[in-house]
Amino acid sequence: MEGNRSTRTHHHDSHGHGHEQGHGHGHGHGHGHEQAHGPGPGHEHRRRASLRHRIGHLLRPHGHEAADKVDTAMEASREGMRTLWISFAVLGATTVVQAVIVALSGSVALLGDTVHNAADALTAVPLGIAFVLGRRAANRRFTYGYGRAEDLAGVLIVLTIAASAAFAAWAAVDRLLHPRGVTHLWAVAAAALAGFAGNEWVARHRIRTGRRIGSAALVADGLHARTDGFTSLAVLLGAGGSALGLRAADPAVGLLITLAILVVLGDAARQVGRRLMDCVDPALVDTAERALRRVEGVLDVGQLRMRWLGHSLRAEADIVVGHRLTVVEAHDVAVAAEHALMHALPRLTAATVHTDHSHPGGHDPHAALGHHTGG
């Protein structure tokens, strides 16, 4: 069809559904679900089946495509949940050990570190809730699904890091104003080392997993654990200073650690803020554009947009095809373009591809939309 413009929309949600819609001039697709028109003998059976289908959506992933693609986002959520549970166990054990030594030594600095570690362990709660919510299917109210819950959890984690910085600063200033003696210094030092080791292990594990599954919130939580490790080191250095008779050493180091926490806070806030503002790595856009240009039948690539929803990536792309292609042929090019995007971007779980026919005469098929779009 010369001079025609066709719009092709593919939708693959995070549970792997491949519902397709084609919009053209009288062109339909036979991929949709059939619907009965009006009640009939099987109406009650269909209603019960629909209820079972909705319950299945809530409890487990499913789809109409190959299992490897369907399970990608779900496996990322499972991996994130495993990391949270392991982190919770490690930090919980660290907190218990430190609490016992606090009772023996009466160290206020170690008490603050213990409370700090307990709070860090509890940050697994909002992230865990976010991962569970992210597994729910999209619906008519939340049409993009629940992936943003993970980003909101990231905001809570950033606030927790800020509270940690405030607490560390308060503890340091209080120690300067009201010097305190510490007993059982060897036990306090051992607890400080245990706190640092536990937090650093958790930090590495969370950051590594978060980067692998594309979770900014989990990376931010890992950075938070790392700040707690620095706080534990401050307790160690303070204990060393107390052993040497330098009471001001502990609060001075505490203030330096507060500055380090603020630096980490800025980094975590920047990551979460960029995610909330739909920021993506420009290298991803370049990769997607190169993949589209390699597709046979794609003459040019127009606007290309991407965004993160939790640890899942979505894309929208405009491509130009030959003006002599029929709607069906343009549809096939769009399918190939979407397929290329899925292979080029491993975290991509949904792509919308819009096709335009080239117009040798210079006619702009979108001219009628100019007063709506400002073009």
Side-chain angles (χ1 to χ4, degrees):
M1 285 182 192
E2 295 186 19
N4 260 343
R5 178 174 66 85
S6 68
T7 303
R8 169 74 171 98
T9 302
H10 295 284
H11 179 74
H12 294 273
D13 66 22
S14 60
H15 297 269
H17 299 285
H19 304 294
E20 301 178 354
Q21 296 176 339
H23 308 280
H25 301 279
H27 178 65
H29 304 285
H31 307 299
H33 295 291
E34 295 180 0
Q35 297 179 349
H37 300 282
H43 177 70
E44 182 63 24
H45 173 74
R46 286 193 300 273
R47 187 185 66 81
R48 290 195 298 268
S50 176
L51 178 61
R52 288 195 300 270
H53 178 71
R54 289 195 294 269
I55 294 175
H57 258 296
L58 176 64
L59 298 180
R60 62 180 175 84
H62 59 286
H64 309 299
E65 295 183 325
D68 57 347
K69 189 61 184 178
V70 173
D71 292 339
T72 300
M74 291 304 300
E75 181 56 36
S77 292
R78 293 190 189 101
E79 188 174 358
M81 288 296 293
R82 284 195 297 269
T83 297
L84 290 176
W85 281 116
I86 293 172
S87 300
F88 183 82
V90 171
L91 291 177
T94 301
T95 300
V96 170
V97 170
Q98 289 186 319
V100 171
I101 297 178
V102 165
L104 292 175
S105 67
S107 170
V108 177
L110 186 58
L111 174 61
D113 191 45
T114 302
V115 173
H116 203 180
N117 283 328
D120 185 45
L122 292 177
T123 60
V125 175
L127 263 182
I129 294 173
F131 280 133
V132 171
L133 282 176
R135 297 170 64 176
R136 299 184 63 181
N139 53 48
R140 293 183 67 84
R141 183 177 296 276
F142 296 94
T143 56
Y144 281 97
Y146 293 80
R148 285 293 190 192
E150 191 173 325
D151 300 325
L152 292 177
V155 173
L156 293 178
I157 291 169
V158 168
L159 293 177
T160 303
I161 298 176
S164 300
F167 182 83
W170 174 83
V173 172
D174 181 69
R175 178 61 61 88
L176 280 173
L177 297 177
H178 306 94
R180 298 177 179 86
V182 179
T183 62
H184 297 81
L185 292 178
W186 63 270
V188 173
L193 288 174
F196 172 75
N199 277 289
E200 181 60 22
W201 188 91
V202 166
R204 290 174 181 267
H205 192 49
R206 286 177 175 175
I207 292 171
R208 182 168 57 248
T209 301
R211 287 174 177 170
R212 182 164 58 247
I213 70 176
S215 172
L218 193 55
V219 171
D221 206 23
L223 293 172
H224 178 206
R226 179 157 287 163
T227 66
D228 287 350
F230 294 152
T231 304
S232 296
L233 283 184
V235 175
L236 175 63
L237 293 176
S242 297
L244 295 174
L246 302 174
R247 289 192 171 186
D250 183 33
V253 172
L255 289 176
L256 292 177
I257 295 302
T258 299
L259 294 178
I261 294 175
L262 291 176
V263 171
V264 176
L265 171 63
D267 185 42
R270 185 163 52 251
Q271 289 192 47
V272 174
R274 286 177 175 177
R275 186 62 62 89
L276 290 174
M277 290 295 293
D278 290 332
C279 175
V280 296
D281 186 349
L284 289 177
V285 181
D286 294 338
T287 298
E289 186 170 333
R290 286 194 299 268
L292 290 173
R293 292 187 183 280
R294 286 196 296 265
V295 175
E296 184 178 358
V298 174
L299 302 181
D300 196 10
V301 177
Q303 193 171 36
L304 181 58
R305 296 180 294 272
M306 284 188 278
R307 61 164 48 172
W308 286 97
L309 292 176
H311 49 265
S312 297
L313 188 65
R314 291 176 179 262
E316 299 175 14
D318 295 340
I319 61 174
V320 178
V321 299
H323 69 284
R324 294 185 181 275
L325 294 185
T326 65
V327 172
V328 174
E329 291 168 338
H331 169 279
D332 293 339
V333 175
V335 171
E338 181 182 13
H339 192 203
L341 286 176
M342 292 289 183
H343 279 284
L345 305 171
R347 301 305 316 156
L348 185 67
T349 57
T352 301
V353 178
H354 172 91
T355 60
D356 280 325
H357 286 76
S358 62
H359 295 272
H363 171 66
D364 181 8
H366 302 107
L369 301 175
H371 65 286
H372 292 289
T373 62

